[in-house]
């Protein structure tokens, strides 16, 4: 997805490639195909769910690896030090992801689902699972800072392994007890979380790093960025669409058979994505970040690791539980909402950062 720096007066839609402009169409078609397949093909969801190793769905893992590899291959790893020296960005990311994000989801879940404890618990689990996968795609489409995204996603991964279980205990057991609310329990091993991080981030990150290192050493940076990257670029879209089809096929029956429950779960999710994204973007502007890193901060703060959230809900409460359904509804809402926010982000760049440039994207 190569971008130039077009005139500011040009409409946002016109500044996107034909592929990018039609992205919502492809994604909606993939969601519809997955839901229809899961609903109409007997046993498809169970068959896909059975193709798993240590709780990691192999079809979903394959789609995510194909999706993330081209974007991570574009990262200029020799520039990561410019990100790690940006203490404002790192501090804001930690605050948004590990303090404000889980607290906001906890508050919205209790406020909007007080009578539905299973769905409420499922949403709190989703709020604890910070994004390490699809955010790479949303950030790239919004012309965010690829190097910053790689660093923030890696930071989320480390904190996910260290803090997920402790935060689950705090938000599901300790805090409700202090507030006199019904309590729940979360039994999840740090090894399960580490396995999710390794598969969904470690493998494509290593592949992207090795591709750039070997490609530049053997052919040079010009060949690598002008010849190799354009060839592998479309794989990101193919992997994204494949992942969406598989994900929605897995739970098509549950989603289409309980539309009212899905609508109830969707309300706090919509509020969460809107508040987290807009709040993060405003915070980034307030602390003086440029557009590229502001967009990266907003998308990494708003997105969630639905793969981990669903896996934890199923492992703890069962595949047919309300907690698992809440986890599945997460990407049903997140995917179209964050695609829409890509376009909002590009429009706000023109107003909030009129001098911003994006070269060589």
């Amino acid at each position: 997805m190569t971008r130039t720096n077009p005139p500011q007066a040009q409409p946002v839609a016109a500044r996107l490639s034909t592929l990018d402009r039609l992205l919502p169409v492809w994604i909606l078609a993939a969601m519809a195909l997955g839901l229809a397949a899961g609903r109409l093909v007997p046993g498809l969801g169970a068959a896909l769910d059975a193709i798993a190793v240590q709780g990691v769905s192999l079809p979903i893992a394959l789609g995510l690896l194909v999706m993330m590899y081209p974007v991570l291959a574009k990262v200029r790893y020799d520039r990561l030090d410019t990100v790690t020296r940006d203490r404002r960005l790192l501090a804001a990311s930690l605050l948004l992801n590990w303090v404000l994000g889980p607290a906001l989801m906890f508050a919205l879940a209790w406020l909007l689902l007080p009578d539905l404890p299973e769905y409420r618990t499922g949403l709190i689990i989703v709020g604890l699972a910070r994004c390490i996968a699809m955010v790479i795609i949303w950030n790239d489409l919004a012309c965010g800072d690829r190097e910053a995204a790689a660093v923030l996603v890696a930071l989320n991964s480390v904190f996910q392994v260290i803090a997920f279980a402790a935060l689950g205990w705090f938000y599901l057991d300790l805090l409700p007890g202090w507030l006199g609310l019904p309590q729940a329990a979360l039994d999840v091993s740090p090894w399960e979380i580490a396995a999710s991080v390794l598969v969904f981030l470690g493998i494509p990150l290593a592949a992207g790093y090795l591709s750039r290192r070997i490609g530049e050493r053997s052919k040079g940076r010009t060949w690598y960025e002008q010849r190799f990257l354009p060839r592998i670029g479309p794989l990101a879209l193919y992997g994204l669409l494949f992942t969406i089809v598989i994900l929605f096929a897995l739970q098509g029956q549950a989603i289409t058979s309980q539309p009212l429950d899905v609508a109830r779960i969707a309300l706090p999710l919509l509020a969460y994505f809107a508040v987290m994204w807009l709040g993060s973007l405003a915070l980034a502007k307030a602390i003086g970040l440029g557009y590229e890193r502001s967009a990266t901060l907003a998308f990494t703060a708003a997105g969630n690791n639905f793969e981990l959230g669903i896996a934890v809900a199923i492992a703890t409460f069962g595949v047919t539980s309300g907690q698992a359904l809440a986890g599945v509804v997460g990407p049903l809402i997140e995917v179209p909402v964050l695609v829409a926010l890509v376009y909002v982000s590009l429009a706000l760049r023109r107003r909030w950062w009129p001098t911003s440039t994006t070269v060589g994207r």
Side-chain angles (χ1 to χ4, degrees):
M1 286 171 278
T2 302
R3 295 179 176 82
T4 58
N5 189 31
Q8 290 296 329
Q10 194 175 5
V12 171
R15 285 186 266 145
L16 300 174
S17 69
T18 300
L19 194 64
D20 289 350
R21 282 201 300 272
L22 294 177
L23 181 65
V25 176
W26 310 137
I27 288 179
L28 289 174
M31 293 170 63
L33 178 61
L35 288 172
R39 178 78 180 184
L40 300 177
V41 180
L44 177 61
L48 291 172
D49 199 39
I51 310 174
V53 175
Q54 297 294 315
V56 176
S57 169
L58 292 185
I60 290 179
L62 175 63
L64 288 171
L65 295 182
V66 173
M67 176 189 78
M68 293 176 66
Y69 165 66
V71 181
L72 290 171
K74 295 176 183 177
V75 172
R76 292 182 173 177
Y77 293 92
D78 56 348
R79 296 183 179 177
L80 294 184
D81 60 329
T82 66
V83 181
T84 57
R85 290 198 301 264
D86 192 340
R87 295 186 177 181
R88 294 173 303 169
L89 176 68
L90 299 181
S93 179
L94 289 175
L95 173 67
L96 289 165
N97 275 288
W98 298 101
V99 179
L100 299 181
L104 176 62
M105 188 69 89
F106 175 86
L108 289 171
W110 273 99
L111 179 65
L112 298 176
L113 300 174
D115 56 329
L116 298 171
E118 290 190 356
Y119 298 155
R120 184 176 63 234
T121 297
L123 286 184
I124 293 172
I125 293 173
V126 169
L128 298 177
R130 312 313 298 168
C131 197
I132 65 170
M134 279 192 177
V135 69
I136 296 288
I137 289 289
W138 313 139
N139 176 75
D140 207 51
L141 290 170
C143 297
D145 187 318
R146 291 192 188 111
E147 288 70 37
V151 170
L152 296 187
V153 163
L155 191 65
N156 273 350
S157 301
V158 172
F159 270 79
Q160 204 143 234
V161 174
I162 296 172
F164 186 92
L167 287 173
W169 167 72
F170 177 77
Y171 280 106
L172 293 175
D173 188 10
L174 187 61
L175 184 57
W178 288 348
L179 299 175
L181 302 171
Q183 297 164 279
L186 183 65
D187 181 19
V188 58
S189 165
W191 300 113
E192 293 178 66
I193 303 168
S196 173
V197 170
L198 176 63
V199 171
F200 296 125
L201 176 63
I203 293 175
L205 183 61
Y209 173 79
L210 290 174
S211 292
R212 179 170 282 277
R213 190 170 183 84
I214 294 171
E216 288 190 356
R217 279 190 173 184
S218 60
K219 298 282 191 176
R221 175 163 288 188
T222 299
W223 173 88
Y224 182 82
E225 295 191 344
Q226 296 183 9
R227 299 286 297 277
F228 179 72
L229 289 181
R231 290 178 183 174
I232 66 171
L235 291 176
L237 176 60
Y238 304 151
L240 173 64
L241 297 178
F242 175 81
T243 302
I244 291 171
V245 170
I246 297 298
L247 182 65
F248 285 87
L250 280 168
Q251 299 292 338
Q253 181 71 31
I255 292 173
T256 56
S257 62
Q258 303 178 66
L260 293 180
D261 288 352
V262 169
R264 288 288 305 273
I265 297 169
L267 288 176
L269 284 169
L270 286 169
Y272 173 83
F273 292 133
V275 172
M276 279 301 294
W277 189 86
L278 287 171
S280 300
L281 198 69
L283 173 63
K285 182 172 174 56
I287 62 176
L289 297 182
Y291 169 76
E292 288 77 11
R293 290 190 177 178
S294 296
T296 298
L297 181 66
F299 281 101
T300 52
N304 292 93
N305 185 356
F306 61 82
E307 307 91 357
L308 177 61
I310 293 171
V312 169
I314 290 175
T316 305
F317 302 103
V319 69
T320 60
S321 65
Q323 291 88 344
L325 178 61
V328 170
V329 174
L332 174 69
I333 305 303
E334 177 176 328
V335 169
V337 168
L338 291 189
V339 169
L341 289 176
V342 166
Y343 291 84
V344 175
S345 183
L346 292 171
L348 288 178
R349 175 178 62 173
R350 188 175 158 197
R351 294 188 176 187
W352 288 10
W353 292 271
T355 61
S356 173
T357 59
T358 305
V359 180
R361 303 299 288 178

